[in-house]
Amino acid sequence: MKKYSILIFIVALTTLLLVQKEVVMPFVYKIIQSDLFLVDSNDQGGQDSISTPLTALAFNHCNSYIKSKLDSDTSASFPEKPINAWSLGNYQYVINAEIELTNATTVTSTKKYACRINYKNGDDQEGILDPANWSIEGLSGLDSL
């Protein structure tokens, strides 16, 4: 039995690879090509930075979230517009902006941050002003909050 164990291992491994290549992968490709992962939305993503009313709202909601996380000794001032804003599609946005933080000892520092935010109601625009309909998926650059 010992002298056949390597041969059995090689045959089993070859069989496993062939089954994966001929059965599993074609099935996976059919699922990928189907509409299973397709999200039909009026908000199309893109690679270029954009400025729309929705990105402005996303920017404002990110700023409100940041203000809520600051301690009472720190004040923040935000610019009117973000540096960049991208739509990822399906009402998901990435906002890149600066914030000016002033602490109790009146030390002012400017920091850049990125905020990933998602509007949860999709094409239903009725509750777009309500912060409860937005979720912050991630915030980076402001580790001291």
Side-chain angles (χ1 to χ4, degrees), residues 17-90:
L17 291 173
L18 284 173
V19 166
Q20 181 175 350
K21 181 182 176 190
E22 300 298 326
V23 176
V24 175
M25 291 311 293
F27 179 69
V28 169
Y29 290 139
K30 284 182 183 179
I31 290 174
I32 290 171
Q33 292 171 351
S34 73
D35 290 341
L36 181 64
F37 298 108
L38 181 66
V39 176
D40 193 19
S41 170
N42 290 333
D43 185 46
Q44 300 298 314
Q47 294 179 347
D48 297 326
S49 180
I50 60 170
S51 179
T52 65
L54 287 172
T55 58
L57 282 170
F59 175 61
N60 290 334
H61 288 303
C62 284
N63 291 346
S64 297
Y65 176 79
I66 292 169
K67 283 181 189 176
S68 73
K69 296 296 180 186
L70 293 175
D71 58 19
S72 59
D73 296 337
T74 305
S75 65
S77 63
F78 299 93
E80 285 183 36
K81 293 181 179 182
I83 297 170
N84 291 306
W86 295 274
S87 174
L88 302 178
N90 197 28

Side-chain angles (χ1 to χ4, degrees), residues 41-43 90-91 118-125 128 133:
S41 170
N42 290 333
D43 185 46
N90 197 28
Y91 302 97
N118 182 27
Y119 177 62
K120 297 185 244 180
N121 292 353
D123 291 335
D124 179 13
Q125 302 290 308
I128 205 148
N133 294 330

Side-chain angles (χ1 to χ4, degrees), residues 58-59 61-63 65-66 78 82-86 88 93-99 111-118 135-143 145:
F59 175 61
H61 288 303
C62 284
N63 291 346
Y65 176 79
I66 292 169
F78 299 93
I83 297 170
N84 291 306
W86 295 274
L88 302 178
Y93 304 97
V94 174
I95 306 297
N96 175 247
E98 288 184 340
I99 181 175
K111 295 189 177 202
K112 289 186 178 181
Y113 69 91
C115 175
R116 182 165 179 203
I117 187 167
N118 182 27
S135 64
I136 303 293
E137 304 295 328
L139 184 66
S140 65
L142 300 175
D143 298 328
L145 294 182

